[in-house]
Amino acid sequence: MSSAEVPVSSAQVAITLPDGSVRTYAPGTTGADVAASIAKSLAKAALAVKIDGEVRDLALPLARDCRLEIVTDKNADDALDLIRHDAAHIMAEAVQELYPGTQVTIGPAIATGFYYDFARDTPFTPDDLVKIEKRMHEIVDENRPFTREEWDRTEAIEHFKSIGEKYKAQIIQDLPASETITIYRQGKWYDLCRGPHLPSTGRVGHAFKLMKVAGAYWRGDAKNAMLQRIYGTAWRTEKELAEHLHQIEEAEKRDHRKLGREMDLFHVQEEATGSVFWHPKGWALYRSLENYIRAKLVTAGYVEVRTPQLYDSSLFKASGHWDLYGDNMFKVRESVTEDGVEKFLGVKPMNCPAHVQIFRQGLKSYRDLPLRMAEFGNCHRNEPSGALHGILRVRNFTQDDAHIFCTEDQVGEEAKEYFALQLGVYKDLGFEKIAVKLALRPDERLGDDATWDKAEEGLRVALRANDLEFEELPGEGAFYGPKVEFHLTDAIGRSWQCGTLQLDFQLPERLDASYIGQDGARHRPVMLHRAILGSLERFIGMMIEHYAGKFPLWLAPTQVTVATIVSDADAYAGKVAAALRKAGLRVELDIRNEKINLKVREHSLQKVPVMLVVGAREAEQGTVAMRRLGSNAQEILALDAAIANLSAEARPPADASSTDSAF
């Protein structure tokens, strides 16, 4: 088993650089050589190369003419992937040095770091993580080069079996026969890996930290052995690491499950896995958001409908959901025919097939279009139990769903109206930084390429016409059409994918929806699937964390607490609370025989925006002492003035036409 170079031709290799210039190099030239020929500073900064868009090792000989880019730490995504991948290798080496007999399995880079799964009988402890991390820093300082080798498949399998690495041997056995078996060394330690890697361990830097240990089944299958997964995070700089750790700390403080308990908003329990028990305060928040969206829809010309939960499987088979989405659906066996054929019902995972059924009732004319049909639709999806997370990912949820049936000529204007509505809502809800992405055709999909070409280009045109910058996501579309995704950045810098607009030519055809055109003939409508919030449960969970529970007054579950200083003011406090409720405010009355400082502290923990404190003086003068959440100051106001001010402040945003955005 020896190292093998990639074959190169005897002819000169033509390299096209990012600026469009072309340079020729002798056979065997590497990416490092190219970087050095351009500038010493670039050679020093180089981490890897991109050959025709694919990241490869800097030391790889160039075998053919290609487009080439030198990857440095300025290429944030590529640099982070390399750093995190290498950090996983360094961690695996540290583990096997410190804990002999531990087997390594797989160790990829992930969104904010890396992990590696280990087979070891003794559980890792927090103290072990400290030792492993210390050794990792030492390996980085040793600055060992990463070197690539190609091994014979059979010899590689036998080798890993001989050293007790049965998981590595199994990985190689399961690789396609055409796969080249590559090994990467960092000094004496080595690992099966496709690469690419940084030039040396020293290029990883010291901006990493081991975070936790968790259990993980080999290859994600509960029938297999349980492994130990060590998670770490890694960044380009110490500053980035510090910012990430601060974000984690803030996220823990803002965790919607923690705040949900403290604010008495909701709970989940095993007897209804994946469903939410909304408490009175949480339901007040839910209804406030729902009513706000409903008012926006009325202004925007939507009609609201309500559709069933259970459908015969024939509807979902016709729509394509049964075959392409069936694993995510809950199915109910209704009956078995005499010849043994089972009849199934499906619990709806989305509302679109049902809305087509309403559209098909009665004859529709081009004059009826566009028809904007909305529903706060209750849906169920068979999410894996391990993926469930508070109210952010559930099995039972409500979508602020709508479908716009229109002609092809109306798509542009309808998209424009939707974008305006969408961005206005996000601004009202406190989200200013928004990214737009266009998700394109997935591998498993309905329809032909020509139809997908038309749908994808239709959304591109709509986005450009509204001056919305967007990133394209190949393979991420729905199975029936491409979609525009809106990604919101919250108060601590996390991104959340929320609203979508999907352009669909498939369902109207499959479910036989039609309208009579100006020519008197039948035509298929275009179907625009759109959601602003997406799942209300998820959006509320996100908002709890974004606001850290401190909602603006119009959304707050409890808007005002009326609290007494002395029992002599109890009757007056009751009148104040009644007057506030009559004005439409959500009010809590606290006349407990407790000190006012205790009451203030407790209601502050409940994140109540306003406290009206009353004592004997306020009762005599018809006033209230107003205290705002987070402030020690108080303002003395006449009761009527306080009610007028709070009523105005608690009014939901009403302007549905706002198009201001943060693009």
Side-chain angles (χ1 to χ4, degrees), residues 292 295-296 299-300 420-428 651-660:
Y292 159 77
K296 295 287 189 183
T299 304
L421 174 62
Q422 183 94 330
L423 298 175
V425 166
Y426 291 158
K427 183 176 181 180
D428 286 347
R651 193 173 297 122
D655 182 8
S657 63
S658 171
T659 58
D660 293 342

Side-chain angles (χ1 to χ4, degrees), residues 510-552:
R510 293 178 70 93
L511 298 180
D512 195 27
S514 65
Y515 68 92
I516 304 300
Q518 285 181 283
D519 58 0
R522 287 183 177 270
H523 298 271
R524 297 294 185 203
V526 178
M527 195 170 174
L528 297 175
H529 307 242
R530 51 108 294 197
I532 297 174
L533 306 181
S535 155
L536 267 71
E537 286 76 5
R538 180 175 180 270
F539 201 91
I540 289 172
M542 181 190 71
M543 285 204 307
I544 291 170
E545 299 194 1
H546 174 65
Y547 284 109
K550 299 174 184 177
F551 289 102

Side-chain angles (χ1 to χ4, degrees), residues 603-644:
H603 292 290
S604 294
L605 290 173
Q606 288 277 309
K607 308 295 190 286
V608 179
V610 177
M611 283 192 69
L612 299 183
V613 179
V614 297
R617 180 184 303 173
E618 285 77 18
E620 181 182 343
Q621 298 177 353
T623 60
V624 293
M626 182 184 295
R627 299 174 65 112
R628 299 277 183 172
L629 180 63
S631 173
N632 293 322
Q634 64 180 28
E635 181 183 7
I636 306 300
L637 295 171
L639 177 58
D640 289 347
I643 292 174

Side-chain angles (χ1 to χ4, degrees), residues 4-61:
E5 292 184 346
V6 176
V8 296
S9 67
S10 58
Q12 291 286 97
V13 179
I15 303 298
T16 303
L17 299 174
D19 63 1
S21 63
V22 178
R23 299 189 180 200
T24 57
Y25 294 89
T29 299
T30 67
D33 296 330
V34 175
S37 73
I38 296 171
K40 290 182 179 179
S41 59
L42 183 60
K44 184 177 180 180
L47 302 176
V49 289
K50 267 189 174 178
I51 299 176
D52 292 331
E54 182 181 359
V55 180
R56 304 296 300 272
D57 296 329
L58 197 61
L60 188 73

Side-chain angles (χ1 to χ4, degrees), residues 70-91:
I70 305 298
V71 176
T72 70
D73 63 4
K74 292 180 180 179
N75 304 77
D77 291 342
D78 294 328
L80 281 172
D81 282 344
L82 289 162
I83 289 168
R84 290 164 179 169
H85 184 182
D86 288 9
H89 278 238
I90 291 170
M91 177 175 71

